[in-house]
Amino acid sequence: MAGRGVDIKLGGELAEEIISAVNRILRKNGYNDPYDMRPQEQREALLKMTSADFGLYDAEAQHFLQYFDDMETVRTLGGLHVIGSERHEARRIDNQLRGRAARQGDPGSSRFYLSLEDDLMRMFGGEQVNNLMQRFQLDDDFPLEARLVGNIIEGSQHRVEGSNFDMRKHLLEYDDVLNAQRARIYSQRDRVFLKENLAEDVLELLRTEIAARVPIAMKDEEGPWKLMAWLDQTQPTFYAANGELYPSYSMRLLLNEIDLANLNASLLTIVRRAVEAEQEHIINAIEHSFTSAESALETQLQERADLLSTALEGFRDSEEKKRPQEMLEELTSLVSVPLRLTSEQLRTLTTDPQSLEDELYQQAATQLTGIAINRLLGGIELRLNEPFPARSSLDTSDWTAALSQLRAGVEEMLQNRHERLTGETSPMSREIETLLTRSEASGRDESTRMRILGSLPIARRAFYDKNHRQVTQDFTRFTYTFLAAQLAKENTSEGDIFTHLAKGLKSLEEAWGSVEFIRLGQNAVKLADFNLPAESLRALSPDTALSSLSAEQKSTLRATLGAHTINGFFRSVLLRVISELWVEYLTNVEALRVSIGLEAYAQRDPLVQYKGKASEMFQGLLAEIRAGAVSNLFVYRPRVATQVSEAPNAPAGTAETQAVSPAVSSDLPESDGYAGRKRHKKR
């Protein structure tokens, strides 16, 4: 069949070679422009000529004339007759097939032949026609041309078209939900692209995120330590424009607790309080793990008891006799722990299996209890990063006794840790004194106190690697997070946190302004070399020489550079977060649309459920975008040229860190004098 928009010509299609030959004949015989002649006019012109006029193109001319004769013959016979072997579920397709005939005034006809086994007849109306044939006792080969059959087919097509229309309508309704969300996301992206200064938008995101996190953190039973950890991760301590440190929020709370009149004792008190706060958190976390493990163990024991009871009843009532060892293996597989029985008990298992229920349950309970206790023990050692003191004497068969031993062991481990860090014989006071002595030249300003506080949790341990070489490694002895959480719970509000972070952004902007001024000013001669927008230069001309600027104008230029630089960082962060989360959201919402049809089984409208869940997911997306943007506001921090490291507790190896790094704790194991020596192979 010809493609859509192509007419089927009666008599066939003329080849281009035939048409070209006819045009040459006409031009040779005095027709100046045969290309403008219609085919019928060309035919009449050829009929007036003789074979001698055709010359070399006689065969082509005869073929051209025969083409019109064939066309007339087809018209005489009735034109194109279209035969359809079935009816499509859409009337539009049938009409397109019928429309191939009788084109452009030509005669034509069409006829469709159907079977009761066709999909359309089988699903819609085929049973009615079949009953009609049986009622009139018609043969299967008898053709039906009644109007009733046509009405049934058209009605079936109408129902299918209505169903397809509803499907497309529902699809558009589903798309409308996503289109509204897409418009909102794209409007935010366009705003980020086009707006020159994003500072107000960033501050609004920051204020909203803090307002969402602080109330939840303050209601947490464990305290707002998660909020403090998030704040320290979002805005760590960094160097400001003048080389001074801008503290994190936790560090700011700690600085407020320092008594400058008695600095040494005050720092030691902060360390002691930090260790105690961390130990309190560890104890609460371990107690919570005890409670969770006990609840899980009770559930497991009840499940094993039910499984054993059911299995033993099945053995008793079963007519099939199994071997004792096979029965024991089946029980072992059910309870997922190895079970053992004596020879006499195995014989009893075949005769009276329920009499062994208590014995089997006791074995399973003992082993499950031991597994749970060993898991708790491993978690304690991993959390405290040291071996449990009484591991060999731990009774793993009695849950209550084991928990008592674990509690006593944890208290002993924490007490020893507290004594090592803050006791009278601990090196902490000596480290603080050493750090204060080294920092006398700096006047013990706030940045110095931050460096000291940042270096105290870091210690260095020595050990030997597999090649028997002595290496050192920095590790964290304690953390200030839980002490900061206690201080924040007493006197912290949303406004305090927002003000601190907003000042941090301003300080970061000033730092970037100074760094960019130094970097670009090395090769800049005039203001135009800084590549700043003309409107940001205010009253200054781009051709103004850099050397002619006053101190106030240079300060203004630094502020402009800082605002321009950090605004670019804001734009980069926002676009990256929006793009990544939007792509992930599209995948999730498409999965929701695929699976939402199952809601119909619960007598719920899938479209209504889709709108509700998609709205919830979109609100979650907006919250994730806000959280992701705020968490990355301080990612781009300049490295001040006057400082070697970026943070007060940077890794060892830099001049600044080496100046304040604490001494290695004296409680570390000393070398035995043999490690590190080269071993010689025996020959």
Side-chain angles (χ1 to χ4, degrees), residues 362-393:
Q362 189 62 36
Q363 289 188 26
T366 301
Q367 296 191 56
L368 290 174
T369 302
I371 293 173
I373 291 174
N374 286 325
R375 287 177 179 172
L376 288 175
L377 183 59
I380 291 172
E381 292 180 339
L382 182 63
R383 180 180 290 273
L384 297 180
N385 198 23
E386 58 181 278
F388 193 76
R391 187 184 184 96
S392 58
S393 61

CSV table of all heavy atoms in Angstrom, one decimal, residues 362-393:
chain,number,residue,atom,x,y,z
A,362,GLN,N,16.4,-25.0,74.9
A,362,GLN,CA,17.5,-24.5,75.8
A,362,GLN,C,18.8,-24.4,75.0
A,362,GLN,O,19.5,-23.4,75.2
A,362,GLN,CB,17.7,-25.4,77.0
A,362,GLN,CG,18.6,-24.8,78.1
A,362,GLN,CD,18.1,-23.5,78.6
A,362,GLN,OE1,16.9,-23.4,78.8
A,362,GLN,NE2,19.0,-22.6,78.9
A,363,GLN,N,19.1,-25.3,74.2
A,363,GLN,CA,20.3,-25.3,73.4
A,363,GLN,C,20.2,-24.1,72.4
A,363,GLN,O,21.2,-23.3,72.2
A,363,GLN,CB,20.5,-26.6,72.6
A,363,GLN,CG,20.9,-27.8,73.4
A,363,GLN,CD,21.2,-29.0,72.5
A,363,GLN,OE1,21.7,-28.8,71.4
A,363,GLN,NE2,21.1,-30.2,73.1
A,364,ALA,N,19.1,-23.9,71.7
A,364,ALA,CA,19.0,-22.8,70.8
A,364,ALA,C,19.1,-21.5,71.5
A,364,ALA,O,19.7,-20.5,71.0
A,364,ALA,CB,17.6,-22.9,70.0
A,365,ALA,N,18.4,-21.4,72.7
A,365,ALA,CA,18.4,-20.1,73.4
A,365,ALA,C,19.8,-19.8,73.9
A,365,ALA,O,20.3,-18.6,73.9
A,365,ALA,CB,17.5,-20.2,74.6
A,366,THR,N,20.6,-20.8,74.4
A,366,THR,CA,22.0,-20.5,74.8
A,366,THR,C,22.8,-20.0,73.7
A,366,THR,O,23.6,-19.1,73.9
A,366,THR,CB,22.5,-21.8,75.4
A,366,THR,OG1,21.7,-22.3,76.5
A,366,THR,CG2,24.0,-21.6,75.9
A,367,GLN,N,22.7,-20.6,72.5
A,367,GLN,CA,23.6,-20.2,71.4
A,367,GLN,C,23.2,-18.8,70.9
A,367,GLN,O,24.0,-18.0,70.5
A,367,GLN,CB,23.5,-21.3,70.3
A,367,GLN,CG,24.1,-22.6,70.7
A,367,GLN,CD,24.3,-23.6,69.6
A,367,GLN,OE1,25.0,-23.2,68.6
A,367,GLN,NE2,23.7,-24.7,69.7
A,368,LEU,N,21.9,-18.6,70.8
A,368,LEU,CA,21.4,-17.3,70.3
A,368,LEU,C,21.8,-16.2,71.3
A,368,LEU,O,22.2,-15.1,70.9
A,368,LEU,CB,19.9,-17.3,70.1
A,368,LEU,CG,19.4,-18.1,68.9
A,368,LEU,CD1,17.8,-18.1,68.9
A,368,LEU,CD2,19.9,-17.5,67.6
A,369,THR,N,21.7,-16.5,72.6
A,369,THR,CA,22.2,-15.5,73.6
A,369,THR,C,23.7,-15.2,73.4
A,369,THR,O,24.1,-14.1,73.5
A,369,THR,CB,21.9,-16.0,75.0
A,369,THR,OG1,20.5,-16.3,75.1
A,369,THR,CG2,22.3,-15.0,76.0
A,370,GLY,N,24.5,-16.3,73.2
A,370,GLY,CA,25.9,-16.0,73.0
A,370,GLY,C,26.2,-15.2,71.8
A,370,GLY,O,27.1,-14.3,71.8
A,371,ILE,N,25.5,-15.5,70.7
A,371,ILE,CA,25.7,-14.7,69.5
A,371,ILE,C,25.3,-13.2,69.7
A,371,ILE,O,26.1,-12.3,69.3
A,371,ILE,CB,24.8,-15.2,68.4
A,371,ILE,CG1,25.3,-16.6,68.0
A,371,ILE,CG2,24.8,-14.3,67.2
A,371,ILE,CD1,24.4,-17.3,67.0
A,372,ALA,N,24.2,-12.9,70.4
A,372,ALA,CA,23.8,-11.6,70.7
A,372,ALA,C,24.8,-10.9,71.6
A,372,ALA,O,25.2,-9.7,71.4
A,372,ALA,CB,22.4,-11.5,71.4
A,373,ILE,N,25.3,-11.6,72.6
A,373,ILE,CA,26.3,-10.9,73.5
A,373,ILE,C,27.6,-10.7,72.8
A,373,ILE,O,28.2,-9.6,73.0
A,373,ILE,CB,26.5,-11.9,74.7
A,373,ILE,CG1,25.3,-11.9,75.6
A,373,ILE,CG2,27.7,-11.4,75.6
A,373,ILE,CD1,25.3,-12.9,76.7
A,374,ASN,N,28.1,-11.6,71.9
A,374,ASN,CA,29.3,-11.3,71.2
A,374,ASN,C,29.2,-10.1,70.2
A,374,ASN,O,30.1,-9.4,70.0
A,374,ASN,CB,29.7,-12.6,70.4
A,374,ASN,CG,30.2,-13.7,71.3
A,374,ASN,OD1,30.9,-13.4,72.3
A,374,ASN,ND2,29.9,-14.9,71.0
A,375,ARG,N,28.0,-10.0,69.7
A,375,ARG,CA,27.8,-8.8,68.8
A,375,ARG,C,27.8,-7.5,69.6
A,375,ARG,O,28.4,-6.5,69.2
A,375,ARG,CB,26.4,-8.9,68.1
A,375,ARG,CG,26.4,-10.0,67.0
A,375,ARG,CD,25.0,-10.1,66.4
A,375,ARG,NE,24.9,-11.0,65.3
A,375,ARG,CZ,23.8,-11.4,64.7
A,375,ARG,NH1,22.6,-11.0,65.1
A,375,ARG,NH2,23.9,-12.3,63.8
A,376,LEU,N,27.2,-7.5,70.8
A,376,LEU,CA,27.3,-6.3,71.7
A,376,LEU,C,28.7,-6.1,72.1
A,376,LEU,O,29.2,-4.9,72.1
A,376,LEU,CB,26.4,-6.6,72.9
A,376,LEU,CG,24.9,-6.5,72.7
A,376,LEU,CD1,24.2,-6.9,74.0
A,376,LEU,CD2,24.5,-5.2,72.3
A,377,LEU,N,29.5,-7.1,72.4
A,377,LEU,CA,30.9,-7.0,72.8
A,377,LEU,C,31.7,-6.4,71.6
A,377,LEU,O,32.5,-5.5,71.9
A,377,LEU,CB,31.4,-8.3,73.2
A,377,LEU,CG,32.9,-8.3,73.7
A,377,LEU,CD1,33.0,-7.4,74.9
A,377,LEU,CD2,33.3,-9.7,74.1
A,378,GLY,N,31.5,-6.8,70.4
A,378,GLY,CA,32.2,-6.3,69.3
A,378,GLY,C,31.8,-4.8,69.1
A,378,GLY,O,32.7,-4.0,68.7
A,379,GLY,N,30.6,-4.5,69.2
A,379,GLY,CA,30.2,-3.1,69.1
A,379,GLY,C,30.8,-2.2,70.1
A,379,GLY,O,31.2,-1.0,69.8
A,380,ILE,N,30.9,-2.7,71.4
A,380,ILE,CA,31.6,-1.9,72.4
A,380,ILE,C,33.0,-1.7,72.1
A,380,ILE,O,33.6,-0.5,72.2
A,380,ILE,CB,31.4,-2.6,73.8
A,380,ILE,CG1,29.9,-2.6,74.2
A,380,ILE,CG2,32.3,-2.0,74.8
A,380,ILE,CD1,29.6,-3.4,75.4
A,381,GLU,N,33.7,-2.7,71.7
A,381,GLU,CA,35.2,-2.6,71.4
A,381,GLU,C,35.4,-1.6,70.2
A,381,GLU,O,36.3,-0.9,70.2
A,381,GLU,CB,35.8,-3.9,71.1
A,381,GLU,CG,35.8,-4.8,72.4
A,381,GLU,CD,36.4,-6.2,72.1
A,381,GLU,OE1,36.4,-6.6,70.9
A,381,GLU,OE2,36.9,-6.9,73.0
A,382,LEU,N,34.5,-1.7,69.2
A,382,LEU,CA,34.6,-0.8,68.1
A,382,LEU,C,34.3,0.6,68.4
A,382,LEU,O,35.0,1.5,68.0
A,382,LEU,CB,33.6,-1.3,67.0
A,382,LEU,CG,33.7,-0.5,65.6
A,382,LEU,CD1,35.0,-0.7,65.0
A,382,LEU,CD2,32.6,-1.0,64.7
A,383,ARG,N,33.4,0.8,69.3
A,383,ARG,CA,33.0,2.2,69.7
A,383,ARG,C,34.1,2.8,70.5
A,383,ARG,O,34.5,4.0,70.4
A,383,ARG,CB,31.7,2.2,70.4
A,383,ARG,CG,31.3,3.6,70.9
A,383,ARG,CD,29.9,3.5,71.6
A,383,ARG,NE,28.9,3.2,70.7
A,383,ARG,CZ,28.2,4.1,70.0
A,383,ARG,NH1,28.4,5.4,70.1
A,383,ARG,NH2,27.2,3.7,69.2
A,384,LEU,N,34.7,2.1,71.5
A,384,LEU,CA,35.7,2.6,72.4
A,384,LEU,C,37.1,2.4,71.8
A,384,LEU,O,38.1,2.9,72.4
A,384,LEU,CB,35.6,1.9,73.7
A,384,LEU,CG,34.3,2.2,74.5
A,384,LEU,CD1,34.3,1.5,75.8
A,384,LEU,CD2,34.1,3.7,74.7
A,385,ASN,N,37.3,1.7,70.7
A,385,ASN,CA,38.6,1.5,70.1
A,385,ASN,C,39.6,0.9,71.0
A,385,ASN,O,40.8,1.3,71.0
A,385,ASN,CB,39.0,2.8,69.5
A,385,ASN,CG,40.1,2.6,68.5
A,385,ASN,OD1,40.2,1.6,67.8
A,385,ASN,ND2,40.9,3.7,68.3
A,386,GLU,N,39.2,-0.1,71.8
A,386,GLU,CA,40.1,-0.8,72.7
A,386,GLU,C,39.5,-2.1,73.1
A,386,GLU,O,38.3,-2.2,73.1
A,386,GLU,CB,40.5,0.1,73.9
A,386,GLU,CG,39.4,0.5,74.8
A,386,GLU,CD,39.9,1.3,75.9
A,386,GLU,OE1,40.3,0.7,76.9
A,386,GLU,OE2,39.8,2.6,75.9
A,387,PRO,N,40.3,-3.1,73.4
A,387,PRO,CA,39.8,-4.4,73.8
A,387,PRO,C,39.0,-4.4,75.1
A,387,PRO,O,39.3,-3.6,76.0
A,387,PRO,CB,41.0,-5.3,73.9
A,387,PRO,CG,42.1,-4.4,74.1
A,387,PRO,CD,41.8,-3.1,73.4
A,388,PHE,N,38.0,-5.2,75.2
A,388,PHE,CA,37.2,-5.4,76.5
A,388,PHE,C,38.1,-6.0,77.5
A,388,PHE,O,38.8,-7.0,77.3
A,388,PHE,CB,36.0,-6.2,76.2
A,388,PHE,CG,35.0,-6.1,77.3
A,388,PHE,CD1,34.2,-5.0,77.4
A,388,PHE,CD2,34.8,-7.2,78.2
A,388,PHE,CE1,33.2,-5.0,78.4
A,388,PHE,CE2,33.9,-7.1,79.2
A,388,PHE,CZ,33.1,-6.0,79.3
A,389,PRO,N,38.1,-5.5,78.8
A,389,PRO,CA,39.1,-6.0,79.8
A,389,PRO,C,38.8,-7.4,80.2
A,389,PRO,O,39.8,-8.1,80.5
A,389,PRO,CB,38.9,-5.0,80.9
A,389,PRO,CG,37.6,-4.4,80.7
A,389,PRO,CD,37.3,-4.3,79.3
A,390,ALA,N,37.6,-7.8,80.4
A,390,ALA,CA,37.3,-9.1,80.9
A,390,ALA,C,36.6,-10.0,79.9
A,390,ALA,O,35.6,-10.6,80.2
A,390,ALA,CB,36.4,-9.0,82.2
A,391,ARG,N,37.2,-10.0,78.7
A,391,ARG,CA,36.5,-10.8,77.6
A,391,ARG,C,36.5,-12.3,77.9
A,391,ARG,O,35.5,-12.9,77.6
A,391,ARG,CB,37.2,-10.5,76.3
A,391,ARG,CG,36.6,-11.0,75.1
A,391,ARG,CD,37.4,-10.8,73.8
A,391,ARG,NE,36.6,-11.3,72.7
A,391,ARG,CZ,35.9,-10.5,71.9
A,391,ARG,NH1,35.7,-9.2,72.1
A,391,ARG,NH2,35.3,-11.0,70.8
A,392,SER,N,37.6,-12.8,78.4
A,392,SER,CA,37.7,-14.3,78.6
A,392,SER,C,36.7,-14.8,79.7
A,392,SER,O,36.3,-15.9,79.6
A,392,SER,CB,39.1,-14.7,78.9
A,392,SER,OG,39.6,-14.0,80.1
A,393,SER,N,36.4,-13.9,80.6
A,393,SER,CA,35.6,-14.4,81.8
A,393,SER,C,34.1,-14.0,81.6
A,393,SER,O,33.3,-14.2,82.5
A,393,SER,CB,36.1,-13.7,83.1
A,393,SER,OG,36.0,-12.3,83.0
